[in-house]
Amino acid sequence: MRSDVIKKGIERAPHRSLFKAMGYTDEEIDRPLIGVVNSVNEIVPGHVHLGKIAEAVKAGIRLAGGTPVEFGCIGICDGIAMGHEGMKYSLASRELIADSCEAMALAHSFDGMVFIPNCDKIVPGMLMAAARVNVPSIFISGGPMLSINVNGNQLDLNSVFEAVGAFKAGTMTEEEVLEYENNACPGCGSCSGMFTANSMNCLTEVLGMGLPGNGTIPAVYAERIRLAKKAGMKIIELVDKNIKPSDILVPEAFENALAVDMALGCSTNSVLHLPAIAHSAGISLDLEMINTISEKVPNLCKLAPSGPYHVQDLYMAGGVQAVMKELSKKDLLHLDLITVTGKTLAENIKNAVVRDRNVIRDIENPYSKTGGIAILRGNIAPSGAVVKRSAVAEEMLCHSGPARVFDSEDEAIEAIYEGKINKGDVVIIRYEGPKGGPGMREMLGPTSAIAGMELDKDVALITDGRFSGASRGASIGHVSPEAAEGGPIAAVRDGDIITINIPEGKLNVNLTQQEIDKRMQTWKAPEPKIKKGYLARYARLVSSADKGAILE
């Protein structure tokens, strides 16, 4: 066993003595030592219940003859961090999570690892660590939050953000906003739509690193506890068979993840995280591959914010396995890949059934013949930009309008709330990229304000930052190169005409290249917004969004 290096032989008597100081018996020390990374805390609804998940995992490990060793991991709540300086730390925390999990796993020579994440950056951060550490590993998430119906509206966190915009527009009362506030998040779990957390938990299942059901079984269901016990038992099998992440996270697995991403209409943040995870596994995943897959994989689901359904509906309709079964009808997946079940993807989905054709469309009757995410390019995004095409109103797929330019999210949202944005405008929010932010803040505030004011079918937003998985409308993010690196988005001025053509993958400002170059000749790199601490180091090392905002 790998852990023999810390527990076998007379030379390791001091090490064993330290284990015994914590109450471990000789029998426990002799068994496979399984690291259990638990991101439980009391600030993230998706993580507040993870103590119960960890106890179930540890019970499963013991049942199968292993010894669990639990340790903690940080987690930031994107919703609570949203709309202020705290959001600068969200994406940056992904690297801290990956680094700390790697450090703990390798320093203590665990034989296997069980990762317990749930929310936005914790899932990809842990997947990056699993790829780096490369010992047998399995993921068990905390599961999605439920959505409940209030006065005919199926609520989620995004409903509250949009309610604020509706209140500012005078179409909702303060009492109505309070009703949403009190009911939109009814309990523990990752926020209930196909937002970033649930996107990444579903894609973990597709990658083969989580058991079937990992992405969709609701947090409050007993089935989630049972799945956690199964994950604990399964890790011992993976250790015995020496099935490692490098056996599972192969290039074809990432192609599968992108295909299901398109079918589900996942968060645009998946386009940041999948390349970063692939990079940790030594695999290159570029934006062109994303467009290639999007062109051939249909969009089968309209889950919030793209449509009326939530992850609990996807669960009842058959879950991620049923979506994969549907895609397999047209040979859109690599089915011979090994997964943490110890079986192939083909074996996993063999008995999957679609139970609700309203939630998971037949592949012959998709919402669209192309996927839910599109990569755009043009003279203000030569290295690419990302849009959740499935969440864009039909009339905004092609749009042209005057730029309203803001050099921070705060300036933009102030103008939106003050009613200074007109129908037809294209809001440009720049200097919010990985370096410029720093940290590439999510912008659910501006997008939900636009939607709440019923302008999402008239106003587009473009940024070198990113949007929440809960954002809807013509929200185009990840513009690369970013403004802080001298990207041409820095040349755009108020009144310039911006042309968006999502079906053709184009994003341009109506200027000649000569005029853009002329404007950039007088451009100067801005002073760093943060000059000390972790974010200052992060800004110096982080890559552009088109590379997954990895640290180089």
Side-chain angles (χ1 to χ4, degrees), residues 115-170:
F115 292 86
I116 308 176
N118 211 28
C119 291
D120 296 34
K121 310 310 165 301
I122 300 91
V123 184
M126 287 186 175
L127 281 165
M128 290 163 68
R132 293 181 199 168
V133 174
N134 200 33
V135 300
S137 300
I138 194 168
F139 279 65
I140 171 65
S141 78
M145 186 184 292
L146 292 178
S147 167
I148 62 174
N149 193 291
V150 175
N151 298 327
N153 296 307
Q154 203 69 32
L155 301 185
D156 53 50
L157 177 64
N158 196 33
S159 307
V160 193
F161 274 96
E162 293 191 5
V164 174
F167 174 78
K168 297 280 187 180

Side-chain angles (χ1 to χ4, degrees), residues 418-545:
E418 290 179 357
K420 295 180 180 178
I421 303 301
N422 302 311
K423 289 186 176 183
D425 285 348
V426 177
V427 176
I428 305 281
I429 306 174
R430 60 193 182 189
Y431 297 103
E432 290 285 4
K435 286 185 183 294
M440 205 179 183
R441 287 194 284 181
E442 279 189 349
M443 299 185 193
L444 183 54
T447 58
S448 56
I450 290 288
M453 292 176 174
E454 299 183 350
L455 290 171
D456 57 299
K457 295 181 179 179
D458 301 286
V459 172
L461 291 94
I462 299 172
T463 183
D464 55 6
R466 61 196 177 93
F467 293 111
S468 165
S471 293
R472 61 186 175 96
S475 303
I476 300 166
H478 308 193
V479 169
S480 300
E482 63 177 288
E485 287 195 314
I489 191 173
V492 180
R493 297 175 182 170
D494 271 348
D496 289 343
I497 301 300
I498 306 294
T499 300
I500 301 164
N501 190 321
I502 293 173
E504 294 185 8
K506 294 179 180 178
L507 176 63
N508 289 289
V509 58
N510 291 5
L511 298 172
T512 64
Q513 190 59 48
Q514 184 178 15
E515 175 61 22
I516 293 173
D517 293 342
K518 179 181 176 183
R519 292 184 185 184
M520 291 306 297
Q521 286 174 4
T522 59
W523 176 84
K524 291 183 180 179
E527 281 286 309
K529 294 176 184 175
I530 295 179
K531 299 181 181 179
K532 62 181 181 179
Y534 174 59
L535 282 181
R537 297 197 304 277
Y538 178 84
R540 288 195 296 270
L541 297 172
V542 70
S543 77
S544 58

Side-chain angles (χ1 to χ4, degrees), residues 71-342:
F71 62 91
C73 174
I74 68 165
I76 289 174
C77 179
D78 277 22
I80 294 173
M82 194 77 65
H84 57 91
E85 289 297 292
M87 182 47 73
K88 294 180 185 292
Y89 283 90
S90 173
L91 180 60
S93 75
R94 185 186 72 182
E95 314 308 317
L96 292 174
I97 291 160
D99 290 348
S100 61
C101 290
E102 173 193 342
M104 288 292 288
L106 294 180
H108 300 108
S109 299
F110 293 124
D111 296 300
M113 298 286 293
V114 180
F115 292 86
I116 308 176
N118 211 28
C119 291
D120 296 34
K121 310 310 165 301
I122 300 91
V123 184
M126 287 186 175
L127 281 165
M128 290 163 68
R132 293 181 199 168
V133 174
N134 200 33
V135 300
S137 300
I138 194 168
F139 279 65
I140 171 65
S141 78
M145 186 184 292
L146 292 178
S147 167
I148 62 174
N149 193 291
V150 175
N151 298 327
N153 296 307
Q154 203 69 32
L155 301 185
D156 53 50
L157 177 64
N158 196 33
S159 307
V160 193
F161 274 96
E162 293 191 5
V164 174
F167 174 78
K168 297 280 187 180
T171 58
M172 279 187 81
T173 66
E174 190 169 352
E175 290 74 20
E176 288 171 326
V177 175
L178 179 61
E179 186 174 34
Y180 274 38
E181 176 186 327
N182 288 338
N183 292 286
C185 299
C188 65
S190 47
C191 294
S192 56
M194 190 51 73
F195 311 147
T196 305
N198 291 325
S199 294
M200 294 310 302
N201 283 325
C202 287
L203 296 182
T204 297
E205 196 175 321
V206 180
L207 285 167
M209 293 298 293
L211 295 174
N214 178 72
T216 59
I217 299 170
V220 295
Y221 285 15
E223 188 180 354
R224 175 64 55 180
I225 299 295
R226 297 198 298 272
L227 191 73
K229 289 179 181 177
K230 289 178 182 177
M233 290 185 277
K234 186 60 69 172
I235 189 60
I236 301 301
E237 180 185 326
L238 294 172
V239 169
D240 289 343
K241 294 180 177 177
N242 197 30
I243 297 174
K244 303 184 296 296
S246 58
D247 301 312
I248 297 171
L249 295 175
V250 295
E252 293 82 2
F254 287 94
E255 292 178 22
N256 284 347
L258 288 170
V260 177
D261 192 336
M262 300 306 161
L264 288 174
C266 290
S267 164
T268 52
N269 283 315
S270 63
V271 178
L272 272 180
H273 299 319
L274 287 174
I277 299 161
H279 177 79
S280 292
I283 296 166
S284 177
L285 191 65
D286 62 35
L287 296 186
E288 284 310 309
M289 181 186 294
I290 293 168
N291 256 358
T292 299
I293 292 174
S294 181
E295 286 169 7
K296 64 181 182 181
V297 178
N299 179 220
L300 303 180
C301 303
K302 285 283 189 183
L303 301 160
S306 303
Y309 304 109
H310 289 76
V311 179
Q312 67 201 45
D313 301 307
L314 178 62
Y315 163 72
M316 292 302 296
V320 174
Q321 303 294 307
V323 174
M324 290 194 284
K325 183 72 171 284
E326 201 63 28
L327 292 178
S328 72
K329 291 178 179 178
K330 289 200 172 182
D331 298 321
L332 293 170
L333 296 174
H334 303 279
L335 297 177
D336 58 342
L337 307 183
I338 195 72
T339 71
V340 291
T341 64

Side-chain angles (χ1 to χ4, degrees), residues 17-40:
S17 180
L18 290 168
F19 273 96
K20 289 176 180 179
M22 295 178 280
Y24 290 92
T25 65
D26 286 324
E27 291 81 4
E28 287 176 302
I29 296 169
D30 284 342
R31 293 171 180 172
L33 298 182
I34 308 299
V36 178
V37 193
N38 188 2
S39 55
V40 64

